[in-house]
Short mmCIF file of all heavy atoms in Angstrom, two decimals:
data_model
loop_
_atom_site.label_atom_id
_atom_site.label_comp_id
_atom_site.label_asym_id
_atom_site.label_seq_id
_atom_site.Cartn_x
_atom_site.Cartn_y
_atom_site.Cartn_z
N ALA T 153 0.85 -1.22 0.00
CA ALA T 153 0.00 0.00 0.00
C ALA T 153 0.89 1.25 0.02
O ALA T 153 0.56 2.27 -0.66
CB ALA T 153 -0.92 -0.02 1.24
N HIS T 154 2.00 1.19 0.72
CA HIS T 154 2.91 2.36 0.77
C HIS T 154 3.53 2.63 -0.59
O HIS T 154 3.72 3.80 -0.99
CB HIS T 154 4.00 2.11 1.80
CG HIS T 154 4.88 3.28 2.04
ND1 HIS T 154 4.50 4.40 2.72
CD2 HIS T 154 6.18 3.50 1.67
CE1 HIS T 154 5.48 5.26 2.79
NE2 HIS T 154 6.53 4.74 2.14
N PHE T 155 3.83 1.56 -1.33
CA PHE T 155 4.41 1.74 -2.67
C PHE T 155 3.46 2.49 -3.61
O PHE T 155 3.91 3.14 -4.57
CB PHE T 155 4.80 0.41 -3.27
CG PHE T 155 6.10 -0.17 -2.76
CD1 PHE T 155 6.17 -1.48 -2.30
CD2 PHE T 155 7.26 0.63 -2.76
CE1 PHE T 155 7.36 -1.99 -1.86
CE2 PHE T 155 8.44 0.11 -2.29
CZ PHE T 155 8.51 -1.21 -1.86
N GLU T 156 2.16 2.44 -3.36
CA GLU T 156 1.19 3.13 -4.20
C GLU T 156 1.37 4.65 -4.09
O GLU T 156 0.88 5.39 -4.93
CB GLU T 156 -0.24 2.71 -3.83
CG GLU T 156 -0.51 1.23 -4.17
CD GLU T 156 -1.90 0.81 -3.79
OE1 GLU T 156 -2.66 1.69 -3.30
OE2 GLU T 156 -2.24 -0.35 -3.97
N THR T 157 2.08 5.12 -3.06
CA THR T 157 2.34 6.53 -2.89
C THR T 157 3.63 6.95 -3.58
O THR T 157 4.06 8.09 -3.49
CB THR T 157 2.43 6.91 -1.41
OG1 THR T 157 3.62 6.31 -0.83
CG2 THR T 157 1.19 6.46 -0.63
N ASP T 158 4.27 5.98 -4.26
CA ASP T 158 5.58 6.21 -4.97
C ASP T 158 6.65 6.57 -4.00
O ASP T 158 7.59 7.33 -4.35
CB ASP T 158 5.41 7.29 -6.05
CG ASP T 158 4.56 6.83 -7.20
OD1 ASP T 158 4.61 5.64 -7.53
OD2 ASP T 158 3.84 7.65 -7.79
N GLN T 159 6.62 6.09 -2.77
CA GLN T 159 7.62 6.37 -1.79
C GLN T 159 8.35 5.05 -1.43
O GLN T 159 7.76 3.97 -1.36
CB GLN T 159 7.02 6.94 -0.53
CG GLN T 159 6.43 8.36 -0.72
CD GLN T 159 7.51 9.35 -1.04
OE1 GLN T 159 8.57 9.38 -0.39
NE2 GLN T 159 7.27 10.21 -2.02
N PRO T 160 9.69 5.14 -1.16
CA PRO T 160 10.45 3.95 -0.75
C PRO T 160 10.05 3.50 0.67
O PRO T 160 9.51 4.28 1.44
CB PRO T 160 11.88 4.42 -0.82
CG PRO T 160 11.80 5.91 -0.55
CD PRO T 160 10.54 6.32 -1.23
N LEU T 161 10.36 2.28 0.99
CA LEU T 161 9.98 1.75 2.29
C LEU T 161 10.73 2.40 3.46
O LEU T 161 10.27 2.30 4.61
CB LEU T 161 10.21 0.24 2.32
CG LEU T 161 9.28 -0.60 1.41
CD1 LEU T 161 9.58 -2.09 1.53
CD2 LEU T 161 7.83 -0.31 1.74
N ARG T 162 11.85 3.07 3.17
CA ARG T 162 12.54 3.76 4.28
C ARG T 162 11.73 4.89 4.84
O ARG T 162 12.04 5.39 5.92
CB ARG T 162 13.94 4.21 3.82
CG ARG T 162 14.01 5.36 2.92
CD ARG T 162 15.44 5.70 2.55
NE ARG T 162 16.07 4.64 1.82
CZ ARG T 162 16.02 4.50 0.47
NH1 ARG T 162 15.38 5.45 -0.25
NH2 ARG T 162 16.59 3.51 -0.11
N THR T 163 10.67 5.30 4.12
CA THR T 163 9.79 6.36 4.64
C THR T 163 8.57 5.81 5.32
O THR T 163 7.69 6.55 5.73
CB THR T 163 9.36 7.31 3.50
OG1 THR T 163 8.60 6.58 2.52
CG2 THR T 163 10.57 7.95 2.79
N LEU T 164 8.51 4.49 5.44
CA LEU T 164 7.38 3.82 6.11
C LEU T 164 7.79 3.39 7.50
O LEU T 164 8.81 2.69 7.67
CB LEU T 164 6.91 2.59 5.29
CG LEU T 164 5.85 1.70 5.96
CD1 LEU T 164 4.54 2.48 6.15
CD2 LEU T 164 5.60 0.44 5.11
N ASP T 165 7.02 3.76 8.50
CA ASP T 165 7.36 3.43 9.89
C ASP T 165 6.53 2.20 10.32
O ASP T 165 5.35 2.32 10.69
CB ASP T 165 7.04 4.62 10.79
CG ASP T 165 7.50 4.36 12.24
OD1 ASP T 165 8.34 3.47 12.43
OD2 ASP T 165 7.05 5.08 13.14
N LEU T 166 7.11 1.02 10.21
CA LEU T 166 6.46 -0.20 10.58
C LEU T 166 6.70 -0.52 12.05
O LEU T 166 7.80 -0.22 12.58
CB LEU T 166 6.96 -1.39 9.77
CG LEU T 166 6.45 -1.59 8.33
CD1 LEU T 166 7.19 -2.79 7.69
CD2 LEU T 166 4.94 -1.81 8.30
N PRO T 167 5.74 -1.12 12.76
CA PRO T 167 6.02 -1.59 14.09
C PRO T 167 7.20 -2.57 14.09
O PRO T 167 7.43 -3.31 13.09
CB PRO T 167 4.72 -2.32 14.50
CG PRO T 167 3.66 -1.68 13.65
CD PRO T 167 4.33 -1.35 12.37
N GLU T 168 7.93 -2.61 15.17
CA GLU T 168 9.19 -3.41 15.20
C GLU T 168 8.95 -4.85 14.84
O GLU T 168 9.72 -5.47 14.08
CB GLU T 168 9.82 -3.30 16.61
CG GLU T 168 11.17 -4.04 16.70
CD GLU T 168 11.79 -3.88 18.06
OE1 GLU T 168 11.29 -3.09 18.89
OE2 GLU T 168 12.81 -4.53 18.34
N ALA T 169 7.86 -5.43 15.35
CA ALA T 169 7.58 -6.85 15.10
C ALA T 169 7.32 -7.11 13.63
O ALA T 169 7.77 -8.11 13.05
CB ALA T 169 6.41 -7.33 15.95
N GLU T 170 6.61 -6.19 12.98
CA GLU T 170 6.30 -6.37 11.55
C GLU T 170 7.57 -6.18 10.72
O GLU T 170 7.80 -6.91 9.77
CB GLU T 170 5.21 -5.39 11.13
CG GLU T 170 3.83 -5.69 11.73
CD GLU T 170 2.76 -4.74 11.22
OE1 GLU T 170 3.08 -3.87 10.38
OE2 GLU T 170 1.62 -4.89 11.63
N ALA T 171 8.37 -5.20 11.06
CA ALA T 171 9.63 -4.98 10.35
C ALA T 171 10.52 -6.20 10.44
O ALA T 171 11.15 -6.64 9.50
CB ALA T 171 10.33 -3.76 10.87
N LYS T 172 10.57 -6.81 11.65
CA LYS T 172 11.41 -7.98 11.86
C LYS T 172 10.90 -9.17 11.05
O LYS T 172 11.70 -9.97 10.53
CB LYS T 172 11.42 -8.33 13.34
CG LYS T 172 12.39 -9.43 13.71
CD LYS T 172 12.46 -9.67 15.24
CE LYS T 172 13.48 -10.70 15.58
NZ LYS T 172 13.55 -10.96 17.04
N SER T 173 9.58 -9.23 10.84
CA SER T 173 8.99 -10.36 10.09
C SER T 173 9.40 -10.29 8.60
O SER T 173 9.33 -11.31 7.92
CB SER T 173 7.46 -10.37 10.20
OG SER T 173 6.89 -9.33 9.44
N LEU T 174 9.88 -9.14 8.16
CA LEU T 174 10.26 -8.98 6.73
C LEU T 174 11.79 -8.91 6.58
O LEU T 174 12.24 -8.74 5.44
CB LEU T 174 9.66 -7.69 6.17
CG LEU T 174 8.10 -7.59 6.20
CD1 LEU T 174 7.69 -6.21 5.65
CD2 LEU T 174 7.46 -8.72 5.41
N SER T 175 12.53 -9.04 7.65
CA SER T 175 13.97 -8.82 7.59
C SER T 175 14.69 -9.77 6.66
O SER T 175 15.69 -9.42 6.04
CB SER T 175 14.59 -8.94 8.99
OG SER T 175 14.32 -10.23 9.54
N SER T 176 14.14 -10.99 6.47
CA SER T 176 14.81 -11.96 5.61
C SER T 176 14.70 -11.62 4.14
O SER T 176 15.43 -12.18 3.32
CB SER T 176 14.25 -13.34 5.86
OG SER T 176 12.87 -13.41 5.51
N PHE T 177 13.82 -10.68 3.76
CA PHE T 177 13.66 -10.33 2.35
C PHE T 177 14.72 -9.37 1.84
O PHE T 177 14.87 -9.21 0.62
CB PHE T 177 12.27 -9.72 2.13
CG PHE T 177 11.12 -10.64 2.40
CD1 PHE T 177 10.05 -10.24 3.16
CD2 PHE T 177 11.12 -11.91 1.90
CE1 PHE T 177 8.97 -11.08 3.43
CE2 PHE T 177 10.04 -12.79 2.15
CZ PHE T 177 8.99 -12.35 2.91
N GLY T 178 15.44 -8.73 2.74
CA GLY T 178 16.49 -7.78 2.32
C GLY T 178 15.92 -6.65 1.47
O GLY T 178 16.54 -6.26 0.44
N LEU T 179 14.78 -6.11 1.85
CA LEU T 179 14.10 -5.08 1.04
C LEU T 179 15.01 -3.86 0.82
O LEU T 179 15.43 -3.22 1.78
CB LEU T 179 12.79 -4.67 1.71
CG LEU T 179 11.79 -5.83 1.85
CD1 LEU T 179 10.62 -5.39 2.73
CD2 LEU T 179 11.30 -6.26 0.46
N MET T 180 15.29 -3.59 -0.45
CA MET T 180 16.31 -2.60 -0.78
C MET T 180 15.87 -1.17 -0.53
O MET T 180 16.63 -0.31 -0.10
CB MET T 180 16.77 -2.79 -2.24
CG MET T 180 17.47 -4.11 -2.40
SD MET T 180 17.95 -4.38 -4.15
CE MET T 180 16.30 -4.75 -4.86
N SER T 181 14.59 -0.87 -0.84
CA SER T 181 14.13 0.51 -0.64
C SER T 181 13.89 0.86 0.79
O SER T 181 13.58 2.00 1.15
CB SER T 181 12.84 0.74 -1.44
OG SER T 181 11.75 0.07 -0.90
N ALA T 182 14.05 -0.14 1.71
CA ALA T 182 13.94 0.08 3.14
C ALA T 182 15.30 0.41 3.76
O ALA T 182 15.39 0.89 4.90
CB ALA T 182 13.33 -1.12 3.84
N LYS T 183 16.37 0.14 3.03
CA LYS T 183 17.70 0.35 3.58
C LYS T 183 18.03 1.86 3.69
O LYS T 183 17.66 2.65 2.82
CB LYS T 183 18.75 -0.34 2.70
CG LYS T 183 18.59 -1.85 2.58
CD LYS T 183 19.64 -2.46 1.71
CE LYS T 183 19.37 -3.95 1.46
NZ LYS T 183 19.43 -4.76 2.70
N PRO T 184 18.72 2.24 4.77
CA PRO T 184 19.12 3.66 4.88
C PRO T 184 20.05 4.03 3.73
O PRO T 184 20.78 3.19 3.24
CB PRO T 184 19.85 3.71 6.24
CG PRO T 184 20.26 2.30 6.51
CD PRO T 184 19.19 1.43 5.88
N ILE T 185 19.99 5.29 3.32
CA ILE T 185 20.75 5.70 2.11
C ILE T 185 21.52 6.98 2.36
O ILE T 185 21.08 7.88 3.12
CB ILE T 185 19.82 5.85 0.89
CG1 ILE T 185 20.59 5.99 -0.39
CG2 ILE T 185 18.82 6.99 1.10
CD1 ILE T 185 19.75 5.82 -1.65
N LEU T 186 22.70 7.07 1.80
CA LEU T 186 23.53 8.25 1.80
C LEU T 186 23.80 8.62 0.35
O LEU T 186 24.16 7.74 -0.47
CB LEU T 186 24.86 7.98 2.52
CG LEU T 186 25.97 9.04 2.39
CD1 LEU T 186 25.60 10.34 3.14
CD2 LEU T 186 27.31 8.49 2.89
N PHE T 187 23.66 9.91 0.00
CA PHE T 187 23.96 10.37 -1.36
C PHE T 187 25.32 11.04 -1.40
O PHE T 187 25.63 11.89 -0.58
CB PHE T 187 22.86 11.32 -1.85
CG PHE T 187 21.55 10.65 -2.05
CD1 PHE T 187 20.54 10.80 -1.11
CD2 PHE T 187 21.27 9.86 -3.16
CE1 PHE T 187 19.28 10.21 -1.25
CE2 PHE T 187 20.06 9.26 -3.30
CZ PHE T 187 19.05 9.40 -2.37
N VAL T 188 26.13 10.64 -2.38
CA VAL T 188 27.44 11.28 -2.62
C VAL T 188 27.37 11.97 -3.93
O VAL T 188 27.21 11.36 -4.98
CB VAL T 188 28.57 10.22 -2.58
CG1 VAL T 188 29.90 10.87 -2.98
CG2 VAL T 188 28.66 9.52 -1.26
N ALA T 189 27.44 13.32 -3.86
CA ALA T 189 27.44 14.13 -5.06
C ALA T 189 28.85 14.20 -5.61
O ALA T 189 29.74 14.81 -5.01
CB ALA T 189 26.90 15.53 -4.75
N ASN T 190 29.09 13.59 -6.76
CA ASN T 190 30.41 13.64 -7.42
C ASN T 190 30.48 14.93 -8.24
O ASN T 190 29.87 15.05 -9.26
CB ASN T 190 30.60 12.41 -8.29
CG ASN T 190 32.03 12.28 -8.80
OD1 ASN T 190 32.91 13.04 -8.38
ND2 ASN T 190 32.26 11.31 -9.68
N VAL T 191 31.28 15.88 -7.73
CA VAL T 191 31.29 17.24 -8.29
C VAL T 191 32.58 17.47 -9.12
O VAL T 191 33.50 16.70 -9.09
CB VAL T 191 31.19 18.27 -7.17
CG1 VAL T 191 29.88 18.12 -6.40
CG2 VAL T 191 32.37 18.21 -6.20
#
């Protein structure tokens, strides 16, 4: 349902138990991200 908003999962706040239930999937859009601007 969150993906229908065109937002990555890192912007979705799941309860800890639910997040843990999905940990084995390695969901990529849920991973924290750092941007490096190559200037």
Side-chain angles (χ1 to χ4, degrees):
H154 186 72
F155 280 131
E156 292 179 4
T157 67
D158 291 327
Q159 292 295 315
L161 292 180
R162 72 180 65 89
T163 63
L164 173 63
D165 187 17
L166 281 177
E168 184 178 352
E170 291 184 1
K172 188 175 182 180
S173 73
L174 301 177
S175 59
S176 63
F177 296 132
L179 297 171
M180 294 177 288
S181 70
K183 298 180 187 296
I185 191 167
L186 169 70
F187 293 102
V188 175
N190 189 8
V191 299

